[in-house]
Amino acid sequence: GENVEQHPSTLSVQEGDSAVIKCTYSDSASNYFPWYKQELGKRPQLIIDIRSNVGEKKDQRIAVTLNKTAKHFSLHITETQPEDSAVYFCAASNVFGFGNEKLTFGTGTRLTIIP
Amino acid sequence: GAVVSQHPSWVICKSGTSVKIECRSLDFQATTMFWYRQFPKQSLMLMATSNEGSKATYEQGVEKDKFLINHASLTLSTLTVTSAHPEDSSFYICSAVELGTGSSYNEQFFGPGTRLTVL
């Protein structure tokens, strides 16, 4: 099955600086890579996702890059703000479009923005 | 739109009792719901995939007789933790996939989670 590794496990960044979180996956058939933000005791929230036919996707201060050859993808947050502090999870899935494809999550990164 | 609720939000029970957790899609129909377990400071671990009208598919290492899943309708799936023990204490989260959105990938919408504490 799929295995997703995520680094670093913790990350502290000065407010206004950029944060980068990296994930690697093992199954070359995976074609969908979402990123989730989870605040303490809350549900995961999808913040951005990328499909394997795209190398990069950006949404305001958040961007995701994908290297299919190396089987890794990264989350980039620019101009970080205190409200970006949370745990971030990457995930991978092999999607056929049936809706029952499962996600394999990374181990999570606790991001702390230092004011 | 695409709201998923869970009930209860938290529950405390005695060891040996059973606890039922409900997952509802409030404004859409879900052919598939997923159940996850999350221990403190850990990732989401998929327990099972629940399909309406059929038996759930359990992940390796998850006891199907202990974690009973019933997906009785397109808007409701339940997880029953039978004979709960303290090691079952965890945050249980469900997600639902909307039926027939026409996209190549149907996003999983997560419920708010249920914190189970077994004494």
Side-chain angles (χ1 to χ4, degrees):
Chain A
E2 175 66 278
N3 181 52
V4 179
E5 295 187 355
Q6 184 171 344
H7 298 281
S9 57
T10 61
L11 179 61
S12 294
V13 174
Q14 287 290 139
E15 181 179 355
D17 288 349
S18 297
V20 180
I21 302 170
K22 299 181 179 181
C23 287
T24 60
Y25 61 99
S26 61
D27 188 352
S28 56
S30 289
N31 59 7
Y32 177 72
F33 308 92
W35 285 89
Y36 293 88
K37 175 183 180 182
Q38 187 181 30
E39 298 178 355
L40 188 62
K42 300 288 182 64
R43 75 186 83 196
Q45 300 269 14
L46 178 70
I47 57 172
I48 197 167
D49 57 18
I50 192 168
R51 289 164 172 72
S52 59
N53 59 347
V54 177
E56 183 175 358
K57 183 177 178 181
K58 189 174 181 180
D59 182 5
Q60 300 184 332
R61 297 187 298 109
I62 296 173
V64 57
T65 58
L66 170 66
N67 184 326
K68 285 192 298 182
T69 303
K71 288 191 283 188
H72 68 68
F73 55 112
S74 300
L75 176 71
H76 304 253
I77 306 174
T78 59
E79 300 173 13
T80 53
Q81 302 168 2
E83 52 266 36
D84 295 329
S85 295
V87 179
Y88 291 80
F89 292 99
C90 63
S93 180
N94 183 9
V95 173
F96 296 96
F98 297 122
N100 59 354
E101 299 90 349
K102 57 187 182 181
L103 290 169
T104 300
F105 282 84
T107 48
T109 296
R110 182 172 301 277
L111 175 63
T112 302
I113 306 303
I114 304 167
Chain B
V3 178
V4 177
S5 70
Q6 278 184 244
H7 179 79
S9 56
W10 60 270
V11 57
I12 302 172
C13 70
K14 293 182 179 180
S15 185
T17 60
S18 295
V19 174
K20 179 185 285 188
I21 302 170
E22 293 184 349
C23 177
R24 292 182 184 272
S25 55
L26 298 185
D27 52 1
F28 66 97
Q29 293 184 322
T31 50
T32 302
M33 290 184 175
F34 299 90
W35 286 97
Y36 297 87
R37 181 167 53 182
Q38 185 176 34
F39 292 109
K41 297 186 178 181
Q42 293 189 24
S43 187
L44 284 80
M45 298 300 297
L46 180 66
M47 299 176 67
T49 302
S50 169
N51 294 296
E52 187 268 337
S54 64
K55 290 184 179 180
T57 302
Y58 290 82
E59 294 300 300
Q60 190 174 7
V62 178
E63 300 175 59
K64 62 180 181 180
D65 294 331
K66 180 172 180 61
F67 298 100
L68 302 179
I69 292 173
N70 183 17
H71 196 148
S73 75
L74 287 172
T75 59
L76 173 64
S77 175
T78 60
L79 168 68
T80 301
V81 183
T82 63
S83 186
H85 289 97
E87 56 265 32
D88 298 324
S89 298
S90 187
F91 193 50
Y92 291 86
I93 306 176
C94 71
S95 70
V97 178
E98 188 171 2
L99 174 67
T101 59
S103 66
S104 59
Y105 177 77
N106 295 330
E107 180 182 345
Q108 289 189 28
F109 298 98
F110 286 87
T114 296
R115 185 160 303 283
L116 170 64
T117 302
V118 184
L119 301 177

